[in-house]
Amino acid sequence: MSLKEILPGRLGFGTAPLGNMFRAIPDEEATATVEAAWDQGIRYYDTAPFYGSGLSESRLGEVLSTKPRDTYVLSTKVGRVILDELEEGARDLGEKGGLFEHGNPNKMLHVWTAEATERSIEDSLKRLGTDRLDIVWVHDIAQDFHGDLWVQKFEEARTGAFRVLSRLRDEGVIKAWGLGVNKTEPIELTLALDEPQPDGFLLAGRYSSGVLAGGTHFEYQQAPPEIIAKVNRLKELTAKHGISIKAAALQFSLAHPVADAVVPGATKPSRIAEDIAALNEKIPAAFWHDLRTAGLVSPAAPLPDNA
């Protein structure tokens, strides 16, 4: 089954921010945001144990466990196992782990073996308050997280997580699995034809980022001056054409023929309505032409059909 057949629409809800990404979010605000997504028709929800050491999954589960399970699509990730043991003193979350310094204080193992994958899924089901998952992503098997160790980690996932998830898919326990990564660069390691094959990919932050919609981060760090300058040029162009930059970002992302959905995150109920409006906003072809002419997108980047 293809991801397009599984996903209920072109707009999902990413719940990394519900893990207290960059800031501590009150429980009531997190709950209200998920409820707003539900009330406005969002039916695909993505989460991960990494997001606040299980906090995102627990918060999402509190709301979704009250909804009919057959009416929404749910995905989470494997690659981190949350322990009952708590961190003492400075939290050792690894590279980029500081994203969730306001999350739960539980220690976390970064591991992609078969045993860890099965445990991770079992623990996620408990936190989410559900009996099944639709899609499972293998999280952060790439050089940007692991440096020179990434080949070793990939091999661990290839012989562990990949095979477990392929078996679960074949048994009908899950509908699909794939890789959840941050980079578009080709993975230098290839899988033989008789090895488990992923159904798709979840790509974080390559086309649109919080810095476009008013945030201050790019690549999970404070945005450098050259990125801020590019964002300002984009804002000038969207202002010239009387459109919102969020609409341009979301619709640009969906213009790629391999993109089945966009999954923006949010921590405020009002952001959900903004996302839906942005996806439906009319953008003139002249904007896409000017975007290309100004060199603000790659010459090879697909643009919407009306461009």
Side-chain angles (χ1 to χ4, degrees):
M1 183 179 295
S2 69
L3 289 179
K4 185 172 291 187
E5 293 175 295
I6 297 169
L7 297 174
R10 305 208 79 189
L11 181 66
F13 179 41
T15 65
L18 300 187
N20 283 354
M21 188 177 186
F22 297 126
R23 71 180 182 96
I25 301 164
D27 286 339
E28 57 271 21
E29 184 177 328
T31 298
T33 303
V34 180
E35 290 284 11
W38 181 269
D39 291 343
Q40 294 180 66
I42 303 297
R43 291 296 182 268
Y44 171 44
Y45 300 85
D46 176 69
T47 186
F50 183 49
Y51 303 157
S53 292
L55 180 59
S56 170
E57 288 185 319
S58 298
R59 284 174 159 173
L60 181 63
E62 286 180 7
V63 177
L64 290 187
S65 62
T66 67
K67 313 300 183 185
R69 182 61 187 88
D70 291 336
T71 61
Y72 63 90
V73 172
L74 178 62
S75 65
T76 191
K77 305 177 182 72
V78 295
R80 273 87 174 197
V81 174
I82 311 303
L83 304 179
D84 293 333
E85 185 180 355
L86 304 183
E87 294 281 0
E88 296 180 1
R91 301 190 65 196
D92 181 17
L93 297 179
E95 186 182 356
K96 297 185 177 70
L99 294 170
F100 299 103
E101 61 181 320
H102 302 291
N104 290 334
N106 299 69
K107 285 187 176 181
M108 185 165 35
L109 298 179
H110 301 249
V111 62
W112 291 262
T113 63
E115 181 181 3
T117 297
E118 292 177 345
R119 175 178 172 180
S120 179
I121 290 174
E122 290 176 3
D123 291 347
S124 289
L125 290 172
K126 292 175 184 176
R127 286 189 291 266
L128 288 163
T130 186
D131 61 352
R132 66 188 186 277
L133 301 167
D134 298 297
I135 307 168
V136 178
W137 306 106
V138 181
H139 209 183
D140 292 329
I141 294 295
Q143 190 171 17
D144 62 309
F145 256 89
H146 306 293
D148 293 339
L149 292 176
W150 85 277
V151 174
Q152 175 184 327
K153 298 293 186 181
F154 186 90
E155 182 65 12
E156 183 178 287
R158 185 186 69 81
T159 58
F162 290 11
R163 295 180 183 179
V164 169
L165 296 176
S166 184
R167 173 176 57 80
L168 293 178
R169 179 190 59 196
D170 293 345
E171 293 173 351
V173 177
I174 62 176
K175 295 177 181 177
W177 70 274
L179 305 185
V181 292
N182 297 311
K183 299 288 187 179
T184 59
E185 289 79 359
I187 293 178
E188 297 175 2
L189 301 177
T190 58
L191 297 173
L193 291 177
D194 60 346
E195 296 233 39
Q197 302 292 321
D199 299 292
F201 301 87
L202 183 65
L203 189 61
R206 296 308 88 200
Y207 264 8
S208 58
S209 172
V211 71
L212 285 178
T216 61
H217 294 89
F218 181 75
E219 298 280 15
Y220 305 110
Q221 317 241 348
Q222 287 295 317
E226 61 270 21
I227 292 297
I228 293 174
K230 188 171 184 179
V231 170
N232 288 336
R233 290 177 64 199
L234 285 164
K235 287 181 176 178
E236 289 173 2
L237 191 58
T238 54
K240 171 187 172 182
H241 289 275
I243 62 172
S244 72
I245 195 166
K246 179 179 279 191
L250 292 181
Q251 293 183 35
F252 175 76
S253 299
L254 283 170
H256 200 293
V258 302
D260 292 324
V262 288
V263 194
T267 58
K268 297 177 185 292
S270 61
R271 299 289 188 241
I272 307 299
E274 287 180 9
D275 291 343
I276 294 172
L279 205 60
N280 294 315
E281 186 174 331
K282 299 297 183 183
I283 297 180
F287 166 77
W288 302 115
H289 176 270
D290 288 353
L291 187 72
R292 181 90 82 194
T293 302
L296 289 169
V297 293
S298 166
L303 296 177
D305 291 339
N306 70 330

